[in-house]
Amino acid sequence: MTTPDIGRRPSAPVQRPAGAPPVRWRRPLPPVEQVRPGLWSIPLPLPWAKPAHVSVYVFETADGPYLIDAGWDSDDAYAVLETGLDTIGTSVAEVQGVIVTHAHLDHFGMAGRIREASGAWVSLHPLDNAILSQFENGFATRIPGMMARAGAPAEVTEQLVKGTQAAVRRIPRPDVLIEDGGRPDIPGWDLRALWTPGHSPGHLCFWEPVNRLLLSGDHVLPSTVVGTPEPDESHPDPLGDHLRALARLRGLDAAEVLPAHEHRFTGLEARLAEIDAVHQGRLAEVLAGLRAGASTVWELADHVTWHRPFRNLRGVALQNAVTDTFGCLAALVATGTARVDDGAPARWRLADT
């Protein structure tokens, strides 16, 4: 079964200023919900249409609440968090810790503001701590080089640069670094960190064994297939990393999956198979494109089935298609199926030609 990536999370979303008016087309947020005794979900708004919210999960303890993820840093989202915690019977000032699944700013962005209001510690995987500087530097300077390497037309690159996320200054750094197998210090709860790289190099899921809950961040969503960033020297095969991380969750006896976006769901094993099938299908389409004589990312992306034809993609959807095609090619290189002659544009070919 192939699941389209309609509504996938932007890898470099357009940034709205903190405190800007709410997005007019946004649907009403889902309600604050009790997931299990002592565990709550608070949806916070995001400054784009899809996904429209990120779910912050709240663990109650005798010392105060602990949060999984923090949301996008805006006055709007902070007010919703305050109201949600008040509904539960607590407050931002009482938060003891913020455990962040990954460094993307719809998850990490408000962690510093929460820490300032409460004194809470903030945690992140070391590899994602290392990429926070990318958001401080902005993406506009990175896009021209990536698109030149892809073989994209200059006018397309110009439009992407105009619409990309601006630099974000003074991003706070975490107090605690959590690696694979780490157990966040949450009194009365036993969470275990599962390193699931791909969508980001240090992405973490968290397993709660008593209720058999998987807090999956962006790694596994119920209807969206998330993308991976452009490969680089530090992370040469992000798609391969993602596929291996998906496989790692197979056999996990999860009663329910608690993702950061969309909605909670059951049937982890089936969903893992669906996501894997989408990526395997794209790998096969890129391979078919190579066999047909296409050699640049721009040419090969036109061979892949996206949620609409490649020629009709614009903005973030186009950028995601390009980075995902880079990811497919890097995975083929990693398995010895393809090789690359780097340049602007870079050109790929089958390893046996």
Side-chain angles (χ1 to χ4, degrees):
M1 176 178 178
T2 299
T3 304
D5 61 344
I6 297 173
R8 56 176 273 182
R9 197 198 69 79
S11 58
V14 175
Q15 183 190 0
R16 297 171 67 247
V23 180
R24 295 186 181 279
W25 32 252
R26 186 167 58 221
R27 296 176 181 174
L29 288 169
V32 175
E33 292 184 290
Q34 187 175 38
V35 178
R36 296 291 188 278
L39 174 58
W40 299 78
S41 170
I42 301 179
L44 301 184
L46 293 172
W48 48 76
K50 293 181 180 181
H53 71 272
V54 59
S55 292
V56 170
Y57 294 98
V58 183
F59 288 85
E60 292 185 281
T61 78
D63 297 337
Y66 290 74
L67 311 183
I68 301 289
D69 283 335
W72 180 268
D73 188 13
S74 70
D75 293 342
D76 188 18
Y78 190 80
V80 173
L81 178 63
E82 287 184 310
T83 301
L85 290 173
D86 182 66
T87 299
I88 296 171
T90 185
S91 67
V92 174
E94 296 181 75
V95 173
Q96 302 296 302
V98 183
I99 301 98
V100 184
T101 59
H102 62 296
H104 294 164
L105 296 187
D106 53 332
H107 299 258
F108 188 82
M110 205 151 60
R113 192 191 294 213
I114 296 169
R115 180 169 60 190
E116 289 175 3
S118 64
W121 51 262
V122 174
S123 73
L124 197 64
H125 190 280
L127 292 176
D128 268 27
N129 181 42
I131 68 169
L132 285 173
S133 60
Q134 294 180 4
F135 298 97
E136 289 176 328
N137 296 331
F139 289 88
T141 58
R142 301 174 59 197
I143 286 176
M146 180 184 77
M147 297 303 285
R149 189 165 181 257
E155 62 272 16
V156 172
T157 301
E158 182 179 349
Q159 287 301 313
L160 279 179
V161 169
K162 286 181 180 178
T164 197
Q165 179 178 318
V168 179
R169 299 302 175 191
R170 297 184 300 277
I171 295 177
R173 294 304 189 263
D175 309 288
V176 178
L177 298 179
I178 297 181
E179 301 195 53
D180 188 40
R183 285 179 159 79
D185 185 12
I186 306 178
W189 294 90
D190 181 20
L191 290 186
R192 180 165 65 93
L194 304 174
W195 181 41
T196 48
H199 184 58
S200 74
H203 189 288
L204 293 172
C205 294
F206 291 92
W207 173 245
E208 195 280 306
V210 174
N211 295 284
R212 298 174 22 241
L213 300 176
L214 177 67
L215 292 99
S216 65
D218 280 4
H219 184 58
V220 183
L221 302 179
S223 63
T224 295
V225 176
V226 299
T228 56
E230 182 190 7
D232 58 27
E233 290 183 3
S234 299
H235 311 288
D237 185 16
L239 177 56
D241 292 341
H242 184 59
L243 293 173
R244 287 183 287 272
L246 289 170
R248 181 185 183 189
L249 299 182
R250 288 187 177 139
L252 197 63
D253 185 24
E256 191 171 19
V257 181
L258 280 55
H261 301 294
E262 300 176 352
H263 55 83
R264 303 192 303 276
F265 66 98
T266 58
L268 173 62
E269 201 74 22
R271 183 58 186 148
L272 292 172
E274 290 175 353
I275 295 171
D276 185 78
V278 170
H279 291 301
Q280 297 298 339
R282 290 176 181 170
L283 283 166
E285 289 173 329
V286 169
L287 187 58
L290 288 171
R291 288 173 176 152
S295 63
T296 68
V297 164
W298 194 255
E299 294 167 346
L300 289 160
D302 197 36
H303 287 259
V304 178
T305 302
W306 310 106
H307 64 277
R308 61 174 62 97
F310 179 68
R311 68 185 70 88
N312 295 336
L313 297 178
R314 301 290 184 273
V316 170
L318 173 63
Q319 185 178 332
N320 286 337
V322 169
T323 56
D324 283 356
T325 304
F326 269 118
C328 287
L329 287 162
L332 292 174
V333 169
T335 58
T337 307
R339 52 183 170 175
V340 60
D341 298 319
D342 224 334
R347 294 191 178 276
W348 278 262
R349 52 198 169 101
L350 297 173
D352 56 2
T353 59

